[in-house]
Amino acid sequence: APPVPPRDYIDGFGNVCTRLVAPAGRITVTTQLLVRDSDSGVRETIALYSDTVSQLMGVQFITQLAHDPDAGIRESIARYEDLDVATFQQLLQDPKPEVRAALACNQVNPTPAFVIETLVNDPDPQVRWQVVDNDAISNATLERLAAHDPAPNVREHAALALSFRQP
């Protein structure tokens, strides 16, 4: 069957709705419309509930949202704990430091070593500050940040984190 183009309209309450007028016969409706919705609020809601979305609709929706033009949506996806390696790699290269900082907060177990190393060497100090709190960061890496990070707040944060780990 040919694809049926969705039509958006605003209902009497001000909600943006999507309508499909299907031809007679069999039709398959997919939920990709939500991931491609023109309203970033819809996509943001999906990203915020990424655990549920991946269970109900499959992880491919999470991967699609990791490519979203809205940085806030990519930031939400960066916190999702079941990211595949390719999505980790993509988000590590995101131009927005907020997205990379959210990835630094991701406590996936185990966090791939290349993710920690990339975040520790990120040019943005907020990203490096966030990765200090990641459970996967080693004591040796914390020591390196505490001694050599160019940002004083990152050095202080790494030293404090290290003091909580050492007896």
Side-chain angles (χ1 to χ4, degrees):
V4 176
R7 295 205 169 104
D8 291 338
Y9 68 96
I10 298 176
D11 69 10
F13 298 100
N15 299 309
V16 176
C17 303
T18 301
R19 179 179 178 185
L20 299 173
V21 179
R26 190 175 195 161
I27 183 170
T28 301
V29 178
T30 66
T31 55
Q32 289 185 355
L33 291 175
L34 294 174
V35 177
R36 295 182 185 145
D37 195 291
S38 61
D39 182 352
S40 66
V42 171
R43 298 188 318 274
E44 177 69 21
T45 300
I46 293 169
L48 288 173
Y49 295 98
S50 53
D51 287 334
T52 304
V53 169
S54 69
Q55 291 173 6
L56 295 175
M57 298 187 287
V59 75
Q60 72 271 15
F61 290 99
I62 303 305
T63 304
Q64 281 182 299
L65 288 171
H67 293 277
D68 198 276
D70 186 313
I73 293 168
R74 297 192 312 274
E75 184 178 340
S76 294
I77 293 301
R79 290 184 170 89
Y80 177 63
E81 293 186 358
D82 287 332
L83 293 176
D84 59 27
V85 172
T87 304
F88 263 119
Q89 289 172 327
Q90 175 200 337
L91 293 171
L92 281 170
Q93 304 304 316
D94 198 281
K96 296 290 188 179
E98 299 85 5
V99 174
R100 300 188 312 274
L103 197 59
C105 296
N106 191 320
Q107 296 290 345
V108 64
N109 189 12
T111 301
F114 78 88
V115 171
I116 297 296
E117 192 58 33
T118 303
L119 293 168
V120 163
N121 293 303
D122 194 277
D124 191 281
Q126 182 61 28
V127 174
R128 298 191 310 275
W129 193 90
Q130 290 289 349
V131 78
V132 164
D133 293 327
N134 192 300
D135 294 340
I137 194 169
S138 69
N139 285 353
T141 303
L142 282 174
E143 288 169 0
R144 187 177 79 207
L145 285 172
H148 303 292
D149 195 272
N153 66 328
V154 174
R155 288 194 307 269
E156 291 170 14
H157 190 55
L160 183 62
L162 197 56
S163 72
F164 287 120
R165 289 188 177 190
Q166 295 178 341

